[in-house]
Amino acid sequence: RSMEHGKELRIGLVGCGNIGRTHMRALTQIPGACLAAVSDVSEAAACAAAREYGCRSFADFRDMIDSGEIDVVDICTPTGMRRDIAVYAAQRGKHIVAEKPLEISTRRIDDMLAAADQNHVTVHGILGKRYADLYGWLRDAVNRGRLGELFFADIAMKWYRPPAYYENTWRGTWALDGGGALMNQCIHYVDLMQWFMGMPVSVFAYTGRFAHPNIETEDTAAVLLRFHGGGIGVIQASTAMNPGFSARFSLHGREGGIILEDDRIMDFQPKAPADGDQEALERFGGRAGRKVNVFTHVVSDHELHRRQLADIA
């Protein structure tokens, strides 16, 4: 509403941890928007962020939302804490952005969406791979029928997290994490799969804990999916594969296919060549080397966050 008067869209961020810091860096680079306030249960964390970014800090997210100084609430807390914040924000007419995954269950996510619908505000989940140049190019290629009708997709994400990642934290708990390797680390590839293939109509899976026996959720999953129209999907997702390996994603249609590894084209076989293919292969092809996210959760590059947050704004 403030944008209608030529003012900046004012963002209030809840949760000043690792991913919250990534959002903060991105928000400083978005025209027409500003980081107006931050909130965290740790007063020290909120104050430190406020000093660094020149905004107000609040110990309680409710006070920040009720301050009249923000238009959008950006939620970067542990996953299982997001519903109550989002519902409170929606009831006060604030738009909602939340890190992935939105919450720990569809029931709790439905509560967020219902509150947003009732109060005429929007909800945005952060799924930044859709904003990567590679996947935008691939989406266009698929839409132009260059692979034919898609019938198969598979993911093989074989990452590693050391035991310390799960120790003395909310990670790997049902109450706050809501899931393990599949829902947390692999979610971006799962999102890409359903972006291209549609939502599945049936799912079968085995899960287990092999490297992290003390967590509640899985550290390894193998999934078989059937899509509307008969297409098949396969997902392998793990944070147990020491020392951390690549993530592969492939799509196959009746007339061609593509295999990607760590967001690079390894093999592209369309039904017919086209102008721009060589340029795309030069830009997106070849081995990029071992990606940092195979063995650490720290987000060092905020570009995809910047792109999606700018689109949301």
Side-chain angles (χ1 to χ4, degrees):
R1 297 187 183 98
S2 60
M3 294 276 292
E4 295 173 1
H5 301 95
K7 299 177 182 177
E8 288 186 311
L9 192 67
R10 302 167 301 172
I11 315 294
L13 185 142
V14 187
C16 298
N18 171 52
I19 201 63
R21 286 285 179 162
T22 300
H23 281 234
M24 292 176 207
R25 290 192 294 272
L27 288 168
T28 62
Q29 300 175 8
I30 298 175
C34 68
L35 180 61
V38 294
S39 172
D40 197 287
V41 292
S42 165
E43 187 175 357
C47 288
R51 285 193 300 270
E52 182 175 350
Y53 289 94
C55 61
R56 284 199 65 187
S57 69
F58 294 85
D60 191 315
F61 72 86
R62 299 171 189 83
D63 293 336
M64 182 183 75
I65 291 170
D66 293 335
S67 68
E69 299 181 15
I70 65 169
D71 308 297
V72 179
V73 178
D74 185 359
I75 309 173
C76 297
T77 64
T79 310
M81 300 171 64
R82 294 177 187 157
R83 179 192 64 177
D84 294 349
I85 300 170
V87 170
Y88 190 90
Q91 291 171 344
R92 283 145 186 83
K94 310 302 180 186
H95 296 288
I96 298 150
V97 176
E99 247 306 321
K100 60 80 187 169
L102 278 179
E103 248 283 358
I104 61 170
S105 71
T106 51
R107 178 180 57 79
R108 292 175 68 87
I109 292 170
D110 285 344
D111 290 344
M112 296 165 66
L113 300 181
D117 287 345
Q118 291 164 8
N119 293 281
H120 309 292
V121 296
T122 55
V123 180
H124 307 267
I126 297 297
L127 290 163
K129 278 197 185 295
R130 295 190 185 205
Y131 290 82
D133 293 340
L134 166 62
Y135 294 109
W137 167 84
L138 179 56
R139 178 78 167 175
D140 180 65
V142 168
N143 287 343
R144 288 190 288 132
R146 301 204 58 209
L147 304 183
E149 181 187 357
L150 298 178
F151 66 87
F152 190 87
D154 69 305
I155 298 163
M157 189 207 79
K158 299 181 177 181
W159 289 357
Y160 181 67
R161 293 291 183 267
Y165 174 77
Y166 292 108
E167 289 174 357
N168 302 314
T169 180
W170 55 275
R171 299 188 189 103
T173 65
W174 288 118
L176 289 177
D177 218 1
L182 188 64
M183 179 164 167
N184 224 304
Q185 285 75 28
C186 198
I187 188 172
H188 293 291
Y189 290 103
V190 173
D191 179 60
L192 287 176
M193 180 179 278
Q194 67 91 17
W195 196 35
F196 286 102
M197 299 293 291
M199 291 295 286
V201 294
S202 69
V203 180
F204 176 83
Y206 284 116
T207 64
R209 291 183 293 273
F210 298 99
H212 309 98
N214 296 321
I215 68 173
E216 296 173 359
T217 63
E218 85 287 346
D219 66 13
T220 302
V223 188
L224 183 63
L225 309 101
R226 176 75 74 177
F227 294 99
H228 181 74
I232 296 170
V234 177
I235 303 171
Q236 303 170 58
S238 182
T239 56
M241 297 190 179
N242 195 1
F245 298 86
S246 62
R248 282 195 168 219
F249 175 65
S250 68
L251 290 172
H252 298 274
R254 296 184 186 276
E255 299 180 75
I258 187 168
I259 297 174
L260 309 171
E261 182 173 352
D262 290 337
D263 303 322
R264 307 293 293 179
I265 298 172
M266 304 306 295
D267 199 1
F268 176 50
Q269 303 288 342
K271 67 178 181 179
D275 292 341
D277 280 0
Q278 189 57 41
E279 179 185 350
L281 289 173
E282 290 174 359
R283 183 180 181 191
F284 303 126
R287 293 192 177 274
R290 204 153 98 114
K291 296 276 285 185
V292 69
N293 55 11
V294 303
F295 53 86
T296 178
H297 66 289
V298 176
V299 179
S300 57
D301 182 358
H302 62 270
E303 174 59 18
L304 296 184
H305 278 82
R306 185 198 66 77
R307 291 183 185 187
Q308 185 171 2
L309 288 166
D311 189 24
I312 291 168

